[in-house]
Amino acid sequence: MAQPELGLRFQRRFLAARQLRSFPWPELEQNLRTAPDSALLVDILHKQVSRAAPASLTLEKEVTQGTVGVHRPVRCLNFARGQEIATTAANQKNREEKSKAETILHPLCVKYPPSTKYRRCFLTELIKKHESTAAEPLDELYDTLADILNEEESTHCYKNYFLPTGESVTLSESVAIISGGTTGLVTWDAALHLAEWAIENSAVFSNRTVLELGSGIGFTGIAICKTCNPKTYIFSDYHPCVLKQLTENIRLNGFVLEPETTCRIQTESQGQEAEATDYQKPKLIVAELDWGSVTEKQLLDLQPDVIVAADVVYDPEIILALIGMLQKLSTFRAGRKPPEVYIAFTIRNPDTYHLFQDELDKVGIGWQIIPAHSNSIFLYDVQPNVTILQLFI
Ligand SMILES: C[S@@+](CC[C@H](N)C(=O)[O-])C[C@H]1O[C@@H](n2cnc3c(N)ncnc32)[C@H](O)[C@@H]1O
């Protein structure tokens, strides 16, 4: 049946706050024309849970210790009739069916909502589509919009992504694409692209030590840790606000990152580096690592089998620091096998992309383009300007 599938596509895009123009609006319009009873819209919004109902009444197990758990409704309230209705096995099943499509009133969205502005724009678009049909006005749409209009704008928002395993990754991010002088506080498309590729090629990561460069707020690494079974995953970045948000997001997704496991890659002047404690698999480490100042010894100590990075080639100055660091990794590896290196890009300016390739050629680092994959897990559409290079250091 087309309807549940369409609702699901809306839900996935909405919870990850993808651009509204990427939503299947024409299909929705087509559906609304053929079935003007608004059932699909209700599914998308999810009217079964009143917006006034406290989340605790609708979820048996929601979020414990920062882990997004399985959502299982136990009872819901029908405020229209002013009665509390105990949920029977039958309507619980029905609700679970409905939850496949819901967006704004999805439990994940209630707990970890996209930005106010995003939800407002989405709902406004949904109302426009509804008003363009002959259907009766749908109060829920206007009531939910009224609630959102009363909310204060925030500088932070959440994005939720579903993994093929059914688990989700929830990230707290900045609303602005550049804030605090960094691009690292939001998730970029190259990070989604790299995670998709990793999930489809999990053997590359399984039981290995992975070093991620310029992790930002952590989407790629968290997705890899949840799906690819690495032995150790070392997230790294150099910006203090990014490192703080990254650490919060790792915890938000249920991974334990005790202070003693936070390994600070110190510069020579800062003295000895801290030891990480082995307590979970994968072992997760957050490292402060600046490509411009990291030493050969510090890199040698990490002993990565695989190196990944997403959207770290966007500026000529950064390119030189990154390549300098890769050279150090290739020179000082004490007889170990060279790590496999995969770097995902969004090609915004072909000159920058070609400069990176030219600089790699100059220092003798080989590279090849990884064939494009389908982008069906997180990006949902063809992204002709996103690519992955494998480097041979
Ligand atoms: C465009 S963001 C990409 C973040 C994340 N990988 C993603 O794709 O969503 C670039 C990241 O590289 C980091 N970065 C830039 N220069 C760096 C350097 N010299 N050393 C370490 N990290 C750096 C930034 O702090 C930022 O988090």
Side-chain angles (χ1 to χ4, degrees):
M1 281 252 299
Q3 271 204 7
E5 224 189 78
L6 181 60
L8 204 61
R9 279 186 277 151
F10 265 84
Q11 187 198 69
R12 294 291 193 257
R13 285 164 175 77
F14 174 81
L15 290 175
R18 300 298 300 164
Q19 288 190 330
L20 289 184
R21 62 182 152 81
S22 76
F23 282 57
W25 297 110
E27 263 181 77
L28 176 67
E29 282 173 315
Q30 174 71 28
N31 266 267
L32 291 178
R33 270 196 295 274
T34 51
D37 67 351
S38 310
L40 177 59
L41 278 180
V42 173
D43 267 5
I44 288 174
L45 183 67
H46 179 52
K47 80 167 184 181
Q48 277 70 24
V49 179
S50 162
R51 71 207 140 75
S56 59
L57 285 177
T58 60
L59 303 177
E60 183 178 79
K61 177 186 171 207
E62 196 184 49
V63 174
T64 46
Q65 296 173 334
T67 308
V68 179
V70 179
H71 300 97
R72 194 146 62 83
V74 284
R75 61 191 177 130
C76 62
L77 300 182
N78 183 334
F79 282 96
R81 283 188 291 155
Q83 287 172 341
E84 186 175 325
I85 299 173
T87 305
T88 62
N91 64 24
Q92 179 165 321
K93 185 166 179 291
N94 181 34
R95 191 178 177 287
E96 279 165 1
E97 281 298 307
K98 298 283 187 193
S99 77
K100 286 180 191 156
E102 64 201 356
T103 52
I104 287 185
L105 299 176
H106 188 286
L108 257 183
C109 176
V110 172
K111 181 83 182 173
Y112 298 117
S115 74
T116 313
K117 184 172 172 207
Y118 183 82
R119 283 176 288 136
R120 195 173 61 226
C121 292
F122 172 74
L123 212 50
T124 306
E125 201 56 38
L126 213 54
I127 288 172
K128 268 198 231 155
K129 300 296 175 218
H130 185 248
E131 287 178 347
S132 69
T133 71
E136 286 289 300
L138 199 58
D139 286 349
E140 287 92 335
L141 287 176
Y142 300 98
D143 291 347
T144 310
L145 181 60
D147 281 351
I148 296 171
L149 289 171
N150 281 331
E151 274 181 33
E152 267 182 42
E153 300 274 350
S154 155
T155 52
H156 268 76
C157 64
Y158 291 95
K159 292 187 183 166
N160 303 283
Y161 303 86
F162 285 95
L163 299 168
T165 55
E167 254 189 295
S168 54
V169 174
T170 296
L171 294 182
S172 167
E173 349 194 306
S174 163
V175 170
I177 57 168
I178 299 180
S179 57
T182 176
T183 53
L185 290 170
V186 295
T187 302
W188 296 86
D189 278 359
L192 303 180
H193 187 79
L194 182 59
E196 284 202 9
W197 178 82
I199 290 168
E200 285 165 14
N201 295 273
S202 62
V204 171
F205 303 92
S206 178
N207 217 19
R208 303 179 91 188
T209 296
V210 183
L211 168 63
E212 183 181 355
L213 305 171
S215 296
I217 50 170
F219 176 76
T220 304
I222 293 169
I224 290 178
C225 288
K226 286 195 173 190
T227 53
C228 300
N229 192 36
K231 184 172 73 188
T232 302
Y233 199 95
I234 306 162
F235 295 85
S236 75
D237 210 284
Y238 77 150
H239 194 286
C241 300
V242 173
L243 287 165
K244 183 169 174 285
Q245 193 63 58
L246 170 64
T247 304
E248 277 175 33
N249 280 333
I250 291 169
R251 292 199 178 118
L252 181 64
N253 284 277
F255 291 106
V256 182
L257 199 65
E258 297 297 331
E260 63 268 29
T261 66
T262 303
C263 171
R264 189 179 163 89
I265 306 290
Q266 300 190 351
T267 60
E268 275 163 334
S269 61
Q270 288 171 316
Q272 295 300 305
E273 88 179 37
E275 279 291 309
T277 311
D278 195 5
Y279 66 96
Q280 67 177 351
K281 193 169 182 285
K283 183 161 85 180
L284 267 62
I285 294 169
V286 172
E288 180 186 333
L289 189 157
D290 183 338
W291 315 326
S293 61
V294 66
T295 66
E296 288 87 354
K297 164 142 191 343
Q298 287 156 357
L299 291 173
L300 197 60
D301 288 344
L302 295 176
Q303 303 206 340
D305 302 307
V306 183
I307 296 176
V308 291
D311 212 342
V312 290
V313 178
Y314 49 89
D315 176 301
E317 212 176 290
I318 283 177
I319 288 176
L320 296 181
L322 181 63
I323 290 183
M325 195 206 62
L326 292 172
Q327 270 186 293
K328 282 181 194 163
L329 268 163
S330 77
T331 319
F332 296 89
R333 48 173 196 261
R336 282 170 58 87
K337 245 180 93 188
E340 292 175 34
V341 183
Y342 301 94
I343 307 227
F345 302 82
T346 290
I347 306 169
R348 302 183 182 88
N349 177 351
D351 290 346
T352 311
Y353 179 56
H354 292 133
L355 174 71
F356 183 62
Q357 292 171 337
D358 291 346
E359 293 296 329
L360 289 172
D361 291 342
K362 265 193 218 163
V363 298
I365 297 180
W367 53 270
Q368 72 177 17
I369 298 171
I370 297 277
H373 60 271
S374 62
N375 277 324
S376 55
I377 309 175
F378 308 120
L379 283 164
Y380 314 114
D381 35 28
V382 180
Q383 305 278 326
N385 62 344
V386 187
T387 190
I388 300 174
L389 287 192
Q390 178 172 12
L391 310 187
F392 303 97
I393 62 174

